[in-house]
Amino acid sequence: TPWAETFPAMLRDKGYWVGHVGKWHCGAFPKEQFDFGRAYAGKHWIARDKGQPVHVTELNERDALEFLQQRPKDKPFCLTVAFFAPHAEDANPKQYLPQPTSEKLYADVTIPVPATANEEAMKRLPPFLQKPENEGRKRWTWRFDTAEKYQTMMKNYYRLCTEVDIACGRIIAQLNEQRLLDDTLIIFTTDNGYFHG
């Protein structure tokens, strides 16, 4: 079956303790295929602690640390931490919603605007990209079509990136604390990226 050919399935079959936390964008989450599985995404703030909103990056970090602390110590392990941030929250006009602790980051910085972030450059694009109904054009309008909006969105985007970086640092620190860091392969990749105008 296709699932049997995935890396979590193959590793679990070989005796690994396998976990996934965070974004799952492959249909219904197959929780039964993981020893530890928690899937969530789509919003930066998620009701979790007795209905109280928790930032998705904090959930990623918490769940990853719980996996590492509660895993069987006599088994090898594989954990996927699928961060939702810094993905935009498309239905929210703010698009990028970092944690309040990050508000001061980049506050006194002016993010350079790309030379092609203007109407003149837009008019040089193929006609289908210029249409208002084009998904890329719509998202550009949501996020970057004014100088003020560009600064706000980019600073919040970079705040979300920094939060992911901090969470990764804490997960790595836990591996170090458990004296596993030198025996752990860490693969950092992405399914998403922006040209930022």
Side-chain angles (χ1 to χ4, degrees):
T1 66
W3 181 258
E5 297 171 6
T6 66
F7 74 87
M10 289 190 283
L11 289 172
R12 195 175 190 204
D13 188 52
K14 297 293 183 193
Y16 277 68
W17 189 255
V18 177
H20 175 94
V21 299
K23 183 178 180 182
W24 184 264
H25 207 221
C26 303
F29 181 61
K31 190 172 184 174
E32 70 284 355
Q33 302 292 349
F34 292 91
D35 299 300
F36 185 103
R38 295 185 182 153
Y40 41 83
K43 294 192 173 289
H44 291 117
W45 293 92
I46 299 172
R48 177 88 176 257
D49 296 342
K50 298 178 183 174
Q52 294 300 311
V54 179
H55 198 273
V56 67
T57 302
E58 184 179 340
L59 285 180
N60 292 140
E61 179 185 325
R62 275 193 211 171
D63 291 341
L65 294 175
E66 184 179 334
F67 171 91
L68 290 172
Q69 291 160 355
Q70 294 183 1
R71 67 182 174 76
K73 303 301 186 250
D74 60 342
K75 283 187 164 192
F77 63 89
C78 174
L79 173 64
T80 301
V81 184
F83 290 98
F84 173 70
H87 196 290
E89 190 177 309
D90 289 341
N92 191 311
K94 292 184 177 178
Q95 295 289 291
Y96 306 103
L97 292 89
Q99 299 172 63
T101 52
S102 299
E103 276 180 24
K104 292 182 181 176
L105 291 174
Y106 314 111
D108 299 326
V109 173
T110 299
I111 308 297
V113 178
T116 55
N118 57 51
E119 277 304 313
E120 181 186 328
M122 289 285 184
K123 288 176 182 171
R124 291 195 309 262
L125 293 172
F128 75 94
L129 289 173
Q130 295 181 41
K131 292 181 179 179
E133 65 271 15
N134 177 276
E135 194 62 32
R137 184 63 183 233
K138 280 194 278 188
R139 289 169 187 241
W140 163 265
T141 303
W142 296 344
R143 300 172 188 158
F144 306 127
D145 66 342
T146 69
E148 181 182 41
K149 195 186 293 183
Y150 186 87
Q151 292 302 313
T152 299
M153 296 292 179
M154 289 301 296
K155 288 177 185 183
N156 283 335
Y157 176 84
Y158 287 142
R159 289 171 181 132
L160 288 167
C161 290
T162 302
E163 291 168 4
V164 168
D165 214 26
I166 291 166
C168 289
R170 290 178 178 145
I171 294 165
I172 291 168
Q174 179 60 219
L175 290 167
N176 197 42
E177 188 176 312
Q178 292 186 25
R179 298 178 185 212
L180 295 169
L181 188 56
D182 291 340
D183 297 322
T184 302
L185 174 64
I186 298 171
I187 301 170
F188 197 95
T189 187
T190 182
D191 72 337
N192 208 294
Y194 298 138
F195 290 119
H196 303 296

